[in-house]
Amino acid sequence: SEVLREDIPVADKNRVMAFPCSEGGCLCGKEAWGKGRIVVRPSGTQPLVRIMAERPDEADLRKIVTEIAEAVRAADFSRTGA
């Protein structure tokens, strides 16, 4: 399995993590369930949201992590008004 980690700088990590998941569930990573693992969590010490994912196919892995990263950035933007 391939493993990928991405750290997303955010203005308020707790507010981003409280952003509701839509039915599509980008922040939840629903489409990858059953084929790998995804963890999306706030950093304990920095203003970051960390995405850690594992999946057999590297191309799928990068696509999913990119989608989740975009959702995290959109949640941060919608909360900060930046």
Side-chain angles (χ1 to χ4, degrees):
S1 285
E2 299 291 327
V3 178
L4 185 61
R5 175 177 151 177
E6 186 166 345
D7 295 341
I8 311 296
V10 294
D12 187 334
K13 60 189 176 190
N14 295 317
R15 286 172 55 183
V16 169
M17 293 306 297
F19 195 80
C21 287
S22 65
E23 188 60 35
C26 281
L27 280 178
C28 295
K30 288 181 181 177
E31 74 178 63
W33 291 359
K35 296 181 183 178
R37 295 185 295 171
I38 295 176
V39 177
V40 179
R41 68 170 186 82
S43 166
T45 59
Q46 300 173 26
L48 301 170
V49 171
R50 299 190 191 283
I51 303 167
M52 292 161 281
E54 178 181 11
R55 189 169 169 107
D57 183 283
E58 184 178 356
D60 284 346
L61 177 66
R62 291 193 181 282
K63 177 181 179 274
I64 291 167
V65 169
T66 297
E67 289 175 3
I68 295 170
E70 288 172 2
V72 167
R73 289 183 185 101
D76 189 43
F77 178 80
S78 71
R79 297 294 185 160
T80 63

